[in-house]
Amino acid sequence: MLAINHYNLSGPPGALDPLSNLSQWDTEMVEMESLAHQGNLTSDKPMSGGPITAALSMTLGVISNIVALFILANAYSHQRRRSKATFLLFASSLVLTDFFGHIIPGALVLRLYLSGGVFPEAAAASSNGSTDPMCQFLGGSMVFFGLCPLFLGCAMAAERCLGVTQPLLHSSLVTTTRTKLSLSGIWLVALCVALLPCFQLGSYTYQHPNSWCFIKVLANDTQEADVAFVTLFSGLGLTSLGVALVCNTISGLTLVLARLRRRPSGYSSSHSHRSVTKSHDIEMVVQLVGIMVTSCICWSPLLIFGFMSVMRSYRGSIDKADMATYETLNLMGVRLASWNQILDPWVYILLRRAVLRKIYLITKRQADLNGSVLRRWEGNSFQSKSSENNPVNRI
């Protein structure tokens, strides 16, 4: 409309030339589209299905964590074994942390989606050191609720490894009070790491497409403090995953060897008690392996891509094409990491002993049914063939 009103009949004689009008029209439209694209860069991408996806993801995460919390609370209230009670306390803390980690950052990200993100000027000011309270809180929340599940998974794996390999030492060291102190220590360490930018060690900035905040990993002015902060965050996360992998491997191998060494004997009460104990240990180790695999799949990309991005950004060896690639990788990494808080509750819900037993019985019943049908079919086939070969039947 503005371009059409600009070129009217009362203009200069040159404006009556159709070719000149067309070229000026095209130039003006290109400039206006470029300006509009720059102004709406942060609103187009977040709004393309963003609010609906974020709302559905938050709803699914809330429902999953609430169901898991209800099951864990019910199991904890009826639990008599101390080792199982300790595991349930850790698992309840993990699910509770995932619940708040899904609600708090998710609500802020959803608000940014609905508002169309932030303007490039605000994002640039935040990247240059300007304090944005919302960005700082969102970035700190993502770091805190990102480290807590990894720390808790590592602590649970270490506790089960001690319980499987050294049960006597575990019974004397692990108590409910010490478990609660360990949980408080884990939350405190994660909080201290998240608050490091308050002491000028690292910073939080808006990330592509300016709809979420995280550690500054891609910038032209990356400092040593940013590299140290990202290295600390990625190092702690990958170390937790590595320790959990080692502990779960030791626990699994120990249970497998104990199963292979067990010899058939009379079914006494002590033998039945040991069988129940081993079944509880197997159930807990299977759940821990599921939690570890889920955490590795969901968190490893963000931890690795973040470290690679900040190192290349600090060395100045990243161009515009690489910048877009790393922005996309980090965005994919944080979206994948957000699914960890949705899948963790389902790992516990689906890998419980009662559920696994039902799946086993259904599978066994189906296999027996197929086997009986196959045997009946084979018997009928053989009978028909034998009857055909019998001369009396032919007569």
Side-chain angles (χ1 to χ4, degrees):
M1 293 293 292
L2 294 176
I4 293 175
N5 291 332
H6 178 73
Y7 299 109
N8 50 27
L9 295 177
S10 60
L16 297 176
D17 186 4
L19 296 178
S20 62
N21 278 343
L22 183 60
S23 61
Q24 292 176 3
W25 170 274
D26 291 339
T27 304
E28 188 71 17
M29 287 298 296
V30 169
E31 292 178 355
M32 291 181 64
E33 290 179 358
S34 177
L35 292 175
H37 177 72
Q38 294 177 2
N40 295 329
L41 182 62
T42 60
S43 60
D44 290 342
K45 284 190 175 289
M47 292 302 293
S48 58
I52 298 177
T53 304
L56 291 177
S57 175
M58 183 181 298
T59 303
L60 179 60
V62 169
I63 294 175
S64 303
N65 285 280
I66 289 177
V67 172
L69 280 175
F70 176 78
I71 295 175
L72 283 166
N74 187 35
Y76 185 80
S77 62
H78 293 86
Q79 189 53 239
R80 297 293 183 267
R81 297 178 63 247
R82 192 173 67 179
S83 60
K84 181 67 174 178
T86 302
F87 176 83
L88 292 175
L89 186 58
F90 271 116
S92 302
S93 302
L94 174 62
V95 174
L96 189 64
T97 304
D98 285 336
F99 175 76
F100 286 106
H102 203 73
I103 287 292
I104 297 176
L108 295 176
V109 171
L110 184 60
R111 177 185 173 185
L112 285 173
Y113 270 124
L114 294 177
S115 62
V118 296
F119 292 104
E121 294 80 5
S126 175
S127 178
N128 293 329
S130 178
T131 303
D132 187 343
M134 182 177 177
C135 181
Q136 300 301 310
F137 182 77
L138 177 57
S141 299
M142 296 189 68
V143 170
F144 175 78
F145 291 112
L147 287 177
C148 280
L150 300 178
F151 288 166
L152 288 171
C154 178
M156 294 169 68
E159 183 269 335
R160 271 298 82 211
C161 183
L162 181 63
V164 171
T165 58
Q166 301 291 333
L168 295 179
L169 182 61
H170 176 273
S171 61
S172 61
L173 288 180
V174 179
T175 61
T176 303
T177 303
R178 290 176 179 174
T179 301
K180 293 179 180 179
L181 290 176
S182 300
L183 291 173
S184 301
I186 288 173
W187 289 324
L188 181 61
V189 171
L191 180 62
C192 290
V193 175
L195 292 178
L196 285 178
C198 297
F199 302 97
Q200 305 303 318
L201 181 58
S203 59
Y204 299 118
T205 60
Y206 285 100
Q207 307 290 329
H208 174 79
N210 294 336
S211 59
W212 58 291
C213 285
F214 199 57
I215 306 172
K216 183 165 69 174
V217 295
L218 289 172
N220 297 324
D221 57 343
T222 304
Q223 304 297 325
E224 291 83 356
D226 300 319
V227 177
F229 190 25
V230 177
T231 303
L232 177 64
F233 175 76
S234 299
L236 289 174
L238 293 174
T239 302
S240 300
L241 293 175
V243 172
L245 175 62
V246 172
C247 292
N248 289 326
T249 302
I250 294 174
S251 301
L253 291 177
T254 303
L255 291 175
V256 170
L257 292 176
R259 182 81 175 182
L260 294 176
R261 292 172 183 173
R262 191 179 65 183
R263 297 177 180 178
S265 59
Y267 288 94
S268 60
S269 59
S270 60
H271 176 78
S272 177
H273 177 72
R274 287 195 301 268
S275 299
V276 173
T277 302
K278 290 298 181 184
S279 64
H280 280 291
D281 290 334
I282 293 173
E283 178 190 19
M284 289 184 285
V285 171
V286 168
Q287 290 173 353
L288 285 176
V289 170
I291 292 173
M292 179 196 66
V293 171
T294 303
S295 299
C296 288
I297 294 175
C298 293
W299 273 103
S300 294
L302 181 62
L303 297 174
I304 295 174
F305 293 154
F307 180 75
M308 293 172 56
S309 300
V310 76
M311 292 304 297
R312 292 203 59 180
S313 179
Y314 178 70
R315 294 170 183 170
S317 59
I318 184 169
D319 54 12
K320 291 184 177 180
D322 292 337
M323 180 75 73
T325 301
Y326 277 100
E327 287 177 347
T328 304
L329 290 176
N330 286 315
L331 182 61
M332 292 174 58
V334 76
R335 286 176 176 173
L336 190 59
S338 65
W339 275 93
N340 183 68
Q341 298 162 340
I342 301 176
L343 297 178
D344 270 346
W346 286 105
V347 169
Y348 177 78
I349 293 172
L350 297 178
L351 296 183
R352 288 180 298 138
R353 188 174 52 170
V355 177
L356 294 177
R357 184 185 293 113
K358 289 181 180 179
I359 295 175
Y360 171 74
L361 292 176
I362 293 173
T363 305
K364 184 179 178 181
R365 188 182 303 114
Q366 187 67 27
D368 293 341
L369 180 61
N370 293 336
S372 63
V373 172
L374 181 61
R375 287 192 298 270
R376 188 164 56 250
W377 179 80
E378 290 177 348
N380 294 333
S381 299
F382 290 143
Q383 185 178 0
S384 61
K385 288 182 179 180
S386 62
S387 62
E388 290 176 359
N389 295 328
N390 192 347
V392 177
N393 291 332
R394 287 202 300 272
I395 294 174

